[in-house]
Amino acid sequence: MTPDDLISPLRFLSRLPVHLPRVPRMLQGLYYAGIRNRDKNLSLAWALERAVQQNPDRPALMDEGRLLTYTQFNRWANRLAWAFKAEGIRHGSVVAVMLENRLEVLAILAALSKLGAVAALLNTTQRGKVLAHSVNLVKPDIAVVGDELLAPFSEIADQLDNRALGRYWVADQDCLADAGQSPDGWNNLMVLARRQAESNPPDSAKVRMKDPCFLIYTSGTTGLPKASILSHGKWIKAYGGFGHSGLTLNNQDVLYLTLPCYHNNAVTVCWGAALAGGAAIALRRKFSASAFWPDVQRYRATCFGYIGELCRYLLNQPPCPAEQDNSLRCMIGNGLRPSIWAEFKQRFGIEQITEFYASSEGNIGFTNVFNFDNTVGFSPATYAIVRYDLENDRAIRTAKGFLEKTRKGEPGLLISEISAKWPFDGYTDPSKSEAAILRDVFKKGDAWFNTGDLMRDIGCKHTQFVDRLGDTFRWKGENVSTTEVENVLGSYPGVEDAVVYGVEIPGTNGRCGMAALRLQPGQALDGEALARFLDRELPAYAAPLFIRLLREVETTGTFKYKKTDLKQAGYDPQQVGDPLYVRLPGSSNFQPMNSELHTALEQQTYRF
């Protein structure tokens, strides 16, 4: 943190005149963010239908070959909603959804929201046991799967608790033009919807803020994914905070979206921001750094959704003609590092960076409403940053048993008060929800959500993200559970113990995986075989890039791995006497790590 990052009252007040034209929308956003009555009939469906009334003929969605107005998109969602209803889907029904980024997935999610049904957003990169666990965890009534993901879903059929799960198929093409022929055993969802009514179903007017909207999978410290409940109320708070107060897009704007639609950033933050202003979303299947600027030019995009890694990829690209005098004026996302913030803003001419902080399961969000640099912004919620003991991994309590707040600029644990205004929806597993709550924090009987993140107060209710706590690290925009990776490595032949942690590579965002392994006596590391195994068993973002071979593994009295020293030593041969290995970008093998390779990594010779 630099002195320039601190926000004094005078500095804050000097910024206000520039934002005066936005005040009405900002106040509107604060209204939605602060609604206490969770029985109120506000929802994603309500927001969509409101946008349709206000912008019936304006573009709502587009891709390379299609453009739908708000009226056309809403009619499609209505036909799907009536089709789901005819198939028995009702208020509270859980529907597992697994499609890649295309217009069909947003139409399906809109349809489910109109019925008050709950969409479980399956991560499209999950495979095998992890995918089966994610499906079984939420006990869905039916599953909707795109043809592009039919193979991995079919592979887990015998691992599902409900073998008779209703299965609905969506062709991998423009389903409005041709619904395709579904495979044996699958219902063709788009054919079922073809002759349904185009009117808004009456159910949409009955969906309340307290009702679940999405189940979003999050990797925690307990191994396999957890399903966090994102209520319509929380979606509406994002619609207000990010859409009305933060970005204030209008019906002339186009938001370019490459983030996967199983992410909260895509379906809540970006979609909510677009609907709040009647803006269009230009959707791309997968992010491509080389295609980014040509796409921005094609769609005349004025905004885009980001994660920090995406921004780094763009900076690493050589300048191209399409980025010159581009149409972008703002961006919304999280994880943009202070080290590249100014460079990114200057090179690409971005006027407004709406960095935010939020989590799928939490009850607090920050938004960079006033466009300061290097901050996640402001939050109207009741929160505190408290002193934290990193070595013993716990919040520090005073002699009286309470927590104490940090000083301005001092890192600490971010916690947020749980109240009627800021409820905690938690996880599908009540025990996981209770584990995330701190009680008797500042007085007997109070309850606060433990975000698990280190933040610092930089003044005027603005904060700066510092780091993520616990046995989770973030790489390639994804949270990686060390326990999950440790379990996978533990099943590899010859591995006695596996300790996984995150380490930083210069010039990258987040932390990549490193594994310290203790092999069985007489075993040697086969780097190529291990790489093949990891590719088969884990998503690319979760697979460790560094290996350290240990003679002994230190544990605590409760048999938890001691990771502090391992993290500090990282992959530096000068600090590690044990054998070290690295998997370089594009390589199918782990090769020995030496001082020359370490220097090359420090000098950012390789792009991870």
Side-chain angles (χ1 to χ4, degrees):
M1 185 183 71
T2 68
D4 289 341
D5 291 335
L6 293 174
I7 302 172
S8 66
L10 189 60
R11 187 181 171 205
F12 179 76
L13 290 171
S14 70
R15 186 65 64 93
L16 292 182
V18 127
H19 297 283
L20 284 177
R22 298 173 56 217
V23 167
R25 281 284 297 277
M26 292 167 73
L27 292 176
Q28 190 177 13
L30 285 174
Y31 163 74
Y32 288 122
I35 293 174
R36 292 173 180 265
N37 180 10
R38 293 181 45 125
D39 285 311
K40 201 171 182 66
N41 294 119
L42 293 178
S43 64
L44 190 163
W46 167 85
L48 171 59
E49 291 168 14
R50 177 178 182 270
V52 173
Q53 290 172 355
Q54 295 179 340
N55 311 279
D57 301 319
R58 293 299 303 165
L61 287 180
M62 59 182 82
D63 63 12
E64 287 186 17
R66 295 182 286 179
L67 186 152
L68 296 178
T69 66
Y70 269 97
T71 296
Q72 290 169 329
F73 175 65
N74 190 56
R75 286 174 178 170
W76 187 16
N78 287 338
R79 290 195 298 273
L80 285 164
W82 286 108
F84 279 127
K85 192 169 183 177
E87 295 296 301
I89 298 303
R90 297 288 186 270
H91 188 284
S93 297
V94 176
V95 177
V97 179
M98 193 174 184
L99 290 90
E100 290 183 347
N101 271 28
R102 46 196 180 101
L103 306 195
E104 284 75 12
V105 70
L106 292 182
I108 289 164
L109 298 184
L112 294 173
S113 76
K114 286 170 176 279
L115 300 178
V118 189
L121 305 180
L122 295 175
N123 186 319
T124 57
T125 68
Q126 288 182 352
R127 298 292 184 269
K129 292 179 181 178
V130 177
L131 177 57
H133 162 83
S134 293
V135 177
N136 292 331
L137 182 65
V138 300
K139 301 177 175 58
D141 296 272
I142 65 170
V144 179
V145 180
D147 190 66
E148 68 274 21
L149 294 162
L150 188 64
F153 193 89
S154 298
E155 286 171 3
I156 63 164
D158 60 349
Q159 299 177 50
L160 299 181
D161 293 340
N162 181 7
R163 302 290 179 86
L165 179 69
R167 300 178 187 193
Y168 293 78
W169 173 87
V170 180
D172 187 11
Q173 59 198 36
D174 179 1
C175 292
L176 285 170
D178 182 1
Q181 180 66 43
S182 59
D184 291 342
W186 290 80
N187 300 292
N188 192 323
L189 177 62
M190 294 300 166
V191 168
L192 295 174
R194 188 177 286 163
R195 292 184 176 84
Q196 294 292 342
E198 294 185 335
S199 57
N200 294 324
D203 312 66
S204 63
K206 301 173 185 176
V207 183
R208 299 160 297 179
M209 292 181 71
K210 68 181 179 184
D211 295 328
C213 179
F214 300 130
L215 297 177
I216 295 181
Y217 294 91
T218 175
S219 297
T221 58
T222 56
L224 292 168
K226 297 178 286 187
S228 64
I229 302 168
L230 192 132
S231 66
H232 283 277
K234 192 168 179 184
W235 192 96
I236 287 292
K237 286 179 184 292
Y239 167 85
F242 302 132
H244 285 291
S245 294
L247 274 183
T248 62
L249 299 177
N250 59 49
N251 64 12
Q252 302 299 309
D253 283 307
V254 176
L255 192 156
Y256 178 52
L257 181 60
T258 66
L259 304 176
C261 285
Y262 59 78
H263 263 199
N264 204 15
N265 284 25
V267 294
T268 300
V269 176
C270 290
W271 199 10
L275 288 177
I281 285 182
L283 197 61
R284 184 179 178 87
R285 283 275 180 125
K286 294 178 181 177
F287 170 73
S288 165
S290 60
F292 184 90
W293 293 111
D295 275 357
V296 166
Q297 196 173 57
R298 176 188 301 115
Y299 298 120
R300 300 299 299 164
T302 54
C303 182
F304 75 101
Y306 72 88
I307 56 172
E309 194 74 7
L310 184 154
C311 297
R312 188 176 61 81
Y313 288 149
L314 293 176
L315 273 181
N316 284 342
Q317 290 289 302
C320 68
E323 78 182 54
Q324 302 300 317
D325 299 318
N326 66 76
S327 54
L328 290 176
R329 62 175 176 82
C330 59
M331 52 196 271
I332 186 165
N334 59 353
L336 183 62
R337 286 196 166 193
S339 59
I340 66 169
W341 189 298
E343 182 185 358
F344 192 91
K345 202 170 181 179
Q346 183 175 8
R347 174 174 165 180
F348 301 124
I350 306 294
E351 299 170 11
Q352 180 185 352
I353 297 181
T354 307
E355 175 87 0
F356 71 86
Y357 168 89
S359 63
S360 302
E361 67 275 26
N363 68 335
I364 186 170
F366 289 79
T367 313
N368 189 18
V369 172
F370 300 104
N371 200 24
F372 286 103
D373 289 338
N374 303 329
T375 176
V376 298
F378 160 90
S379 177
T382 306
Y383 69 89
I385 299 174
V386 297
R387 295 181 63 217
Y388 195 83
D389 181 351
L390 285 170
E391 187 64 33
N392 293 298
D393 196 22
R394 65 186 179 191
I396 298 172
R397 291 193 178 262
T398 65
K400 293 183 178 180
F402 298 122
L403 304 188
E404 59 180 336
K405 297 179 182 179
T406 59
R407 299 182 302 273
K408 184 186 292 188
E410 179 187 352
L413 174 67
L414 174 69
I415 60 176
S416 55
E417 188 173 24
I418 299 171
S419 64
K421 188 174 182 179
W422 304 103
F424 171 51
D425 294 316
Y427 303 97
T428 52
D429 184 340
S431 65
K432 300 289 191 299
S433 298
E434 183 58 34
I437 299 174
L438 291 170
R439 300 189 183 277
D440 302 330
V441 171
F442 298 116
K443 61 183 180 182
K444 290 291 184 182
D446 65 358
W448 294 66
F449 171 65
N450 178 358
T451 67
D453 290 322
L454 289 175
M455 306 277 271
R456 59 166 61 92
D457 174 14
I458 59 173
C460 295
K461 286 208 82 174
H462 282 63
T463 62
Q464 193 174 76
F465 180 81
V466 176
D467 209 349
R468 192 174 297 275
L469 291 173
D471 286 336
T472 302
F473 58 88
R474 194 167 180 83
W475 182 242
K476 303 295 184 184
E478 299 278 355
N479 291 336
V480 181
S481 164
T482 59
T483 306
E484 179 183 341
V485 181
E486 284 164 357
N487 289 339
V488 169
L489 282 167
S491 67
Y492 183 73
V495 171
E496 194 78 38
D497 281 299
V499 187
V500 175
Y501 44 97
V503 293
E504 290 186 279
I505 302 175
T508 66
N509 283 74
R511 288 174 166 80
C512 73
M514 181 167 181
L517 305 178
R518 183 168 70 90
L519 302 180
Q520 293 171 352
Q523 292 287 332
L525 183 73
D526 183 337
E528 193 169 359
L530 178 60
R532 283 199 305 270
F533 172 81
L534 293 172
D535 288 345
R536 185 173 68 249
E537 297 295 326
L538 289 170
Y541 64 81
L545 298 182
F546 296 95
I547 300 293
R548 175 178 176 176
L549 297 184
L550 298 175
R551 297 178 185 86
E552 297 291 337
V553 175
E554 283 189 282
T555 59
T556 66
T558 54
F559 302 103
K560 292 181 180 179
Y561 293 128
K562 290 185 176 180
K563 300 185 180 182
T564 303
D565 291 341
L566 294 173
K567 289 178 183 177
Q568 288 176 350
Y571 50 86
D572 184 354
Q574 298 298 318
Q575 298 188 52
V576 178
D578 301 316
L580 288 170
Y581 298 84
V582 60
R583 186 177 183 182
L584 296 173
S587 173
S588 59
N589 189 16
F590 283 91
Q591 66 186 75
M593 181 77 176
N594 54 36
S595 297
E596 289 75 22
L597 262 179
H598 184 265
T599 300
L601 295 181
E602 291 290 306
Q603 293 175 348
Q604 303 178 33
T605 303
Y606 299 95
R607 291 185 176 181
F608 287 84

